Amino acid sequence: MLTTPEQAREKWCPMVRIARVEQQKITTDTNWGTQRSDDIVVASCNRDALGSPAGFVLNSCRCIADKCAMWRWAPSTTTHMERRTEARDFALPGGGKETRPVEFDVKVPDAPTQGYCGIAGRPEVA
């Protein structure tokens, strides 16, 4: 699916990992009369599945689009004309050469506006 970077930033990223911490138990130290909890990192996951509404994606789990190494730009399908100048050598009568600027128009592809996550390869465009 081709998306703009802005649209991609609303999507979940399958590569993000966050630590899931669960409170194991609360213990009371009888010598000092204090309580402490033993928090344990249970797993590394990429969604906050505990207590989040369906479809909710934490900001830290969202796609970063064109800031990601896996982001791929889709080739642009539109072009525009650009005027270019180039120095060219011309032969002079009687020998020698002269360098003069030459202007010409070139068809240039527009900058891409859509891309995709490259983790699964290029999407088929229907």
Side-chain angles (χ1 to χ4, degrees):
M1 170 174 67
L2 296 179
T3 64
T4 65
E6 293 76 24
Q7 292 169 326
R9 287 186 187 96
E10 298 298 316
K11 308 272 188 245
W12 162 75
C13 174
M15 297 304 291
V16 172
R17 295 292 178 260
I18 57 174
R20 186 173 131 206
V21 177
E22 290 185 2
Q23 194 174 52
Q24 182 71 7
K25 61 182 176 179
I26 296 178
T27 57
T28 303
D29 188 331
T30 54
N31 294 330
W32 300 97
T34 57
Q35 285 188 341
R36 69 181 179 89
S37 65
D38 296 324
D39 290 341
I40 297 175
V41 176
V42 175
S44 169
C45 54
N46 62 3
R47 285 189 188 233
D48 180 23
L50 304 173
S52 295
F56 177 78
V57 180
L58 290 171
N59 284 337
S60 60
C61 295
R62 292 177 190 242
C63 175
I64 59 172
D66 55 337
K67 306 292 186 245
C68 178
M70 288 187 281
W71 180 262
R72 300 293 179 256
W73 287 107
S76 178
T77 57
T78 59
T79 60
H80 66 278
M81 297 302 286
E82 270 186 20
R83 190 111 179 120
R84 303 255 173 108
T85 303
E86 186 177 284
R88 296 213 178 141
D89 292 331
F90 291 92
L92 296 173
K97 63 180 179 177
E98 175 184 37
T99 303
R100 289 184 280 179
V102 175
E103 289 188 350
F104 54 95
D105 291 327
V106 175
K107 190 184 284 190
V108 178
D110 291 331
T113 57
Q114 292 188 319
Y116 57 95
C117 178
I119 191 171
R122 186 178 172 163
E124 293 299 320
V125 179

